[in-house]
Amino acid sequence: MPSTNTAAIEADDLRKRYGSEVALDGVSLSIPTGTVYGFLGPNGAGKTTTMRILTGLSRPSSGTVRVCGVDVADRRALARHVGYLPETPPLYEEFSAREQLEYVADLRDIAGEVADERIDRYLAEFELLDDADRRISEYSKGMKQKTAFVQSVLHDPDVLFLDEPTSGLDPRAARRIRESILAFADAGTTVFLSTHILPVVEAVADEVGVLYEGRLVAEGPPDAVTSRAATGDSGSLEDAFLAVTSGGEDVVDAEETDSGSERV
Amino acid sequence: MSLRADLRHGLRIARAEFVRSVRGYARDRRRLLGLAVAVLFFGGNLLFSLPTAYLLGRTVRSADAIPFLGPAATALPFLLVALAALRTLERIGRPEAEELLLSTVHPRAAVIGLICAEIARLAIWFGLPIAAVVAAFALGLGSATFPLTVAVVVLPLVCWAAVWGYALGIGFLRLFRWLPALGRAAKIGGFLGMLALVLASQSIGRLVADGSFSVRGALDAVTIGPLTEYVAVAFLGTPLSRSLSPVGPGILLLFVALTPLGTAVAARSAKTLWFTDASKPERATRSKTSSGGFAAPRPFAATKPGRIAWGHLVRAVRHPQEFSHLVMIVFFLGPVGTTFVQSSGDALGALAAATGVGLATYLAGATFGLNPLGDDRPQLSLVLLSGTTPRTLVRGRVTAGVAVSAPVAALVPAAALGLGAAPELAGAFAAVGLPMCVAASLFSVGLGASYPIYEEREFWGAETVVPSTLVMVAYLFVVGGGTVIGLLATWFVASGRLTATPLVAGGLSVYVLTTAGVSYGSYRYAVRRYRRYAFD
Ligand SMILES: Nc1ncnc2c1ncn2[C@@H]1O[C@H](COP(=O)(O)OP(=O)(O)O)[C@@H](O)[C@H]1O
Ligand SMILES: [Mg+2]
């Protein structure tokens, strides 16, 4: 494996069983640095399970994962590379947003003035400044989500994992987060984004993977997945999504046919 | 290097967790009230124990003369470890906002943080009062170094206990995950153990009082010598100091040495717990389905309140954790239990029948009635707009309460026949018990509606909306008192000890009218609360 061009996320044949139930059934990923990867799939497909494994929070039944070249079992080395925004924002209701962010900065050993500068900048950017000193228990869902988003990027991670970051948000908050994702991508951050809101993916993703019943049933650039999977010529990502998640067995590998040169 | 980082992060986590706890204590008026009661209680105790400690310090001439020092020294480490293990099982076995902490710091830091925060909480709840008592004692003793030596003895002990208690608690959590049945058994066992403890504490008190049981002898038997030696270190440099054996300082060193080891063990174990999933799913593998639609059986099907009641009962059976608050009754069973132990013959049968009726009136209201608005809250927007009148909704709840309690009120007296209860008495109890259940159920909905609780909390290992303790106690007081009066009257009448004087007739009618009036009024109040309910 070329060490100069290591993939940001390299997962090999991940399997995860809960008792007799198979949540992940041989998922392999190789995502180059700087990619925004849209991870699609219906509810219960295994997106959250995959993310927890990729962030080292859960162990696969078998398979290996390296993020930025670090084995995810090595949590001490991994922590500074990744930021993770789970489905339910991990916030402390008894804190204010500012306290929460300062606490996280402290835990991440970000130097005081750097932390202060970043926190102020992000609070302003996410329109949280006016409420920064109110307790999080009084926040709306959107405000909580924005706070949690900020806390997951406070240390400038190399890889950002976002689990349905915009679901249930109002358009303004959703757009704020979408724009921020693009800004991070421009700055070279790899973003791994799970969602079932297809326009979000169409707007930001360089590459998509569709997970269905624990298996990756399609992968490639959005338009390639669309044209490959769509049966008719209407060709929207939604049609493609519905086509590949309707129970068909074929794995649609968009890049073999359309853009084989996309990847190393 | 990494150890230093983990310690640093751990202390930060501890500080944050502690701040969160303190803010949690003072979150709303209800909690503040509870806090005030606790402070008054502790403060009241101190009013009595501080002078006692002072006087003891003035008069005591040797450490051996301090009452219960040996047994206390023996019990303390065990109690502390048990407390820490229990708290780990219940609360701190996993950090809150787990994903954040575990993707930010090393799990060892999280473990250190949780344990340190727990020690800090322990220090303000128990440390402050104990420090006050120790200070008073030192003042009486006239020794300035005593508080310091106590700290030298207590701190390593507390750290050792907190760390190993945590490791033990995590061990149990892993064991229960591996064997879920064992976890359930432990919960039931814990419940029965508490019941036994309540009963035992009552009987032991009585045995001690009539002198048939020597406390000293029993306690001396369980005293562990080395631990007494350890506590004796605290008296070093005071007038009570005796020649010091090397055992005491040896144990001190042992505690100090075992603390980091315990942290390492706890951290390893917690890591396994946090980063692996249950090998078997924690939830039942059998997927839960129901066949047929919602069809209430015979007596329930006839009326709408009946069908609503059936809905409550079905959900109750499928989610029994909702009713964990019913265990409150344990604390009130003590007196009944001891009376049971001491009674015999026909008294036993009568007592059993009466207890059955008492239990029935408790269940009639406490099961479904004490937090009606809170229980219904998630569905209120549906229910209130469904066109079903509030009266019907409340009646449904009342019916459900009666449905769980009526069988108890009827069957326990019947079973008591086997214990030698007189048939006419058992019959009378059952006959009186049924209307009592209806009254109790009607009363409960109004009482519960007056002080709804909406927020979920963890109670006996289940997330549920639990009725307010205040409401619970008020209910037990009113309904318990009413039931006792009613049953006594029934007993007098049934055993022919009551002649029908105008006074007796008057008293009975007052009782009946009050019961009926209060219950009906309470029910009307509940209906009104439903009718006027507004989301805020
Ligand atoms: N702790 C668990 N125990 C048992 N099954 C689980 C657990 N977590 C997830 N699952 C199962 O794994 C599958 C994938 O879940 P998840 O990753 O949450 O899906 P998604 O995030 O795509 O909606 C689901 O069928 C779910 O029921
Ligand atoms: Mg999910």
Side-chain angles (χ1 to χ4, degrees):
Chain A
M1 191 175 290
S3 59
T4 46
N5 200 10
T6 330
I9 302 172
E10 188 80 63
D12 188 32
D13 199 26
L14 294 179
R15 290 168 196 277
K16 178 77 182 175
R17 280 183 304 277
Y18 293 108
S20 58
E21 193 181 338
V22 179
L24 287 187
D25 190 10
V27 171
S28 297
L29 296 163
S30 177
I31 299 171
T33 304
T35 311
V36 177
Y37 190 90
F39 199 43
L40 298 174
N43 293 324
K47 301 185 294 295
T48 300
T49 305
T50 309
M51 285 219 175
R52 289 182 61 88
I53 291 174
L54 295 183
T55 50
L57 289 175
S58 178
R59 290 196 186 126
S61 306
S62 71
T64 56
V65 185
R66 300 182 80 80
V67 171
C68 297
V70 176
D71 185 339
V72 292
D74 182 0
R75 229 159 264 123
R76 211 182 288 284
L78 182 72
R80 71 194 161 84
H81 291 295
V82 302
Y84 177 38
L85 173 62
E87 254 172 315
T88 39
L91 300 168
Y92 296 110
E93 306 241 301
E94 297 87 352
F95 283 166
S96 68
R98 191 183 292 278
E99 284 173 323
Q100 171 89 27
L101 296 174
E102 285 178 359
Y103 176 46
V104 174
D106 203 13
L107 287 184
R108 291 203 177 273
D109 292 325
I110 302 172
E113 58 275 26
V114 179
D116 288 347
E117 183 273 317
R118 281 188 199 166
I119 289 171
D120 277 328
R121 179 159 51 82
Y122 282 128
L123 284 175
E125 208 172 288
F126 283 84
E127 296 163 348
L128 288 167
L129 259 185
D130 293 341
D131 300 300
D133 295 317
R134 274 170 57 204
R135 298 276 162 87
I136 291 175
S137 53
E138 298 171 7
Y139 278 18
S140 68
K141 183 174 162 75
M143 290 159 74
K144 284 184 185 164
Q145 189 74 1
K146 288 193 288 187
T147 311
F149 182 84
V150 172
Q151 99 181 351
S152 62
V153 298
L154 213 48
H155 56 300
D156 265 338
D158 301 319
V159 184
L160 186 53
F161 292 93
L162 306 171
D163 200 348
E164 314 210 350
T166 57
S167 75
L169 298 192
D170 65 63
R172 196 178 167 83
R175 171 186 288 180
R176 187 59 267 185
I177 286 182
R178 237 170 27 234
E179 284 171 357
S180 199
I181 292 171
L182 288 175
F184 275 102
D186 287 343
T189 309
T190 310
V191 181
F192 189 92
L193 164 83
S194 98
T195 183
H196 49 239
I197 306 176
L198 299 170
V200 173
V201 177
E202 274 172 331
V204 301
D206 306 318
E207 185 148 354
V208 298
V210 184
L211 195 68
Y212 180 64
E213 292 187 343
R215 267 174 303 152
L216 210 50
V217 291
E219 196 178 36
D223 46 352
V225 168
T226 307
S227 59
R228 169 79 179 148
T231 39
D233 44 4
S234 56
S236 80
L237 190 55
E238 182 170 343
D239 294 326
F241 180 83
L242 293 176
V244 295
T245 60
S246 59
E249 288 293 303
D250 312 331
V251 173
V252 183
D253 197 340
E255 78 209 23
E256 261 174 22
T257 48
D258 293 278
S259 47
S261 60
E262 275 280 311
R263 234 191 253 158
V264 190
Chain B
M1 184 56 219
S2 60
L3 179 65
R4 283 246 307 278
D6 285 347
L7 271 175
R8 194 174 61 233
H9 293 151
L11 290 178
R12 285 171 190 168
I13 291 170
R15 196 182 58 197
E17 292 293 321
F18 183 70
V19 167
R20 291 179 52 226
S21 299
V22 171
R23 288 182 183 175
Y25 298 147
R27 189 159 56 202
D28 50 38
R29 212 172 316 140
R30 194 157 57 84
R31 274 161 212 264
L32 278 176
L33 199 73
L35 198 66
V37 170
V39 167
L40 273 180
F41 182 74
F42 273 124
N45 272 343
L46 281 183
L47 232 50
F48 167 77
S49 50
L50 286 186
T52 314
Y54 178 75
L55 282 179
L56 193 65
R58 293 290 301 251
T59 49
V60 78
R61 286 292 149 257
S62 93
D64 294 328
I66 298 174
F68 305 124
L69 188 65
T74 306
L76 193 63
F78 292 100
L79 280 179
L80 284 174
V81 169
L83 181 71
L86 209 66
R87 287 273 306 170
T88 308
L89 281 174
E90 288 264 299
R91 287 268 138 154
I92 53 172
R94 275 174 181 276
E96 247 176 87
E98 190 182 351
E99 287 115 331
L100 168 67
L101 282 191
L102 297 185
S103 63
T104 307
V105 297
H106 195 264
R108 186 162 67 180
V111 167
I112 294 173
L114 291 173
I115 294 177
C116 289
E118 184 65 10
I119 292 176
R121 279 188 288 258
L122 209 65
I124 58 162
W125 281 110
F126 298 105
L128 287 181
I130 289 175
V133 170
V134 166
F137 184 81
L139 215 61
L141 204 59
S143 158
T145 56
F146 183 63
L148 291 180
T149 45
V150 168
V152 167
V153 166
V154 169
L155 280 181
L157 174 64
V158 166
C159 292
W160 167 84
V163 162
W164 284 97
Y166 195 82
L168 189 67
I170 295 284
F172 273 123
L173 284 174
R174 285 176 61 192
L175 186 68
F176 293 161
R177 169 188 280 180
W178 190 50
L179 288 171
L182 193 66
R184 284 192 291 275
K187 224 171 238 171
I188 296 169
F191 172 69
L192 294 178
M194 199 164 87
L195 192 75
L197 208 68
V198 172
L199 295 181
S201 64
Q202 307 251 342
S203 354
I204 286 184
R206 202 163 300 203
L207 287 178
V208 170
D210 63 22
S212 58
F213 184 77
S214 153
V215 185
R216 273 265 94 115
L219 288 179
D220 283 346
V222 296
T223 297
I224 298 177
L227 286 170
T228 320
E229 297 285 338
Y230 175 59
V231 169
V233 174
F235 295 105
L236 216 64
T238 72
L240 304 185
S241 166
R242 48 180 181 185
S243 65
L244 193 67
S245 75
V247 177
I251 290 187
L252 182 79
L253 285 182
L254 197 64
F255 279 144
V256 170
L258 282 178
T259 299
L261 183 67
T263 313
V265 170
R268 277 197 80 91
S269 196
K271 214 158 101 179
T272 316
L273 181 74
W274 293 340
F275 292 107
T276 53
D277 304 276
S279 57
K280 300 184 196 104
E282 282 166 50
R283 38 188 146 152
T285 32
R286 181 169 60 93
S287 69
K288 291 177 176 144
T289 57
S290 332
S291 57
F294 181 80
R298 247 354 220 102
F300 293 99
T303 62
K304 198 165 181 188
R307 295 191 294 274
I308 292 174
W310 179 248
H312 284 303
L313 293 174
V314 169
R315 293 195 297 271
V317 170
R318 292 184 187 167
H319 194 199
Q321 298 92 310
E322 293 274 326
F323 302 95
S324 40
H325 64 270
L326 290 176
V327 301
M328 278 276 284
I329 189 72
V330 171
F331 300 104
F332 299 85
L333 280 182
V336 180
T338 30
T339 326
F340 253 112
V341 173
Q342 287 168 344
S343 54
S344 58
D346 50 345
L348 189 66
L351 199 64
T355 308
V357 174
L359 188 66
T361 54
Y362 171 71
L363 290 177
T367 316
F368 295 105
L370 288 183
N371 190 20
L373 287 166
D375 289 343
D376 278 346
R377 159 92 140 202
Q379 293 86 25
L380 270 183
S381 51
L382 162 74
V383 168
L384 291 180
L385 293 177
S386 67
T388 300
T389 60
R391 207 175 56 172
T392 312
L393 295 173
V394 173
R395 283 187 185 175
R397 243 175 214 284
V398 171
T399 311
V402 173
V404 290
S405 57
V408 178
L411 293 178
V412 174
L417 288 176
L419 287 173
E424 56 271 28
L425 187 65
F429 275 174
V432 169
L434 292 175
M436 275 181 171
C437 287
V438 177
S441 193
L442 286 169
F443 172 64
S444 70
V445 282
L447 180 67
S450 72
Y451 195 37
I453 301 288
Y454 299 118
E455 88 195 54
E456 293 206 337
R457 68 179 164 119
E458 177 126 351
F459 192 82
W460 278 65
E463 280 289 324
T464 70
V465 239
V466 179
S468 143
T469 311
L470 202 67
V471 164
M472 207 67 196
V473 170
Y475 178 80
L476 276 165
F477 190 73
V478 172
V479 171
T483 307
V484 168
I485 295 174
L487 289 177
L488 277 178
T490 311
W491 181 67
F492 273 117
V493 171
S495 57
R497 267 169 243 225
L498 213 59
T499 41
T501 64
L503 186 69
V504 167
L508 283 182
S509 17
V510 167
Y511 170 76
V512 171
L513 286 177
T514 315
T515 308
V518 168
S519 303
Y520 183 69
S522 184
Y523 156 73
R524 289 302 298 264
Y525 173 74
V527 173
R528 212 177 70 204
R529 284 296 296 253
Y530 266 81
R531 189 171 294 135
R532 304 208 173 149
Y533 185 83
F535 287 87
D536 44 26

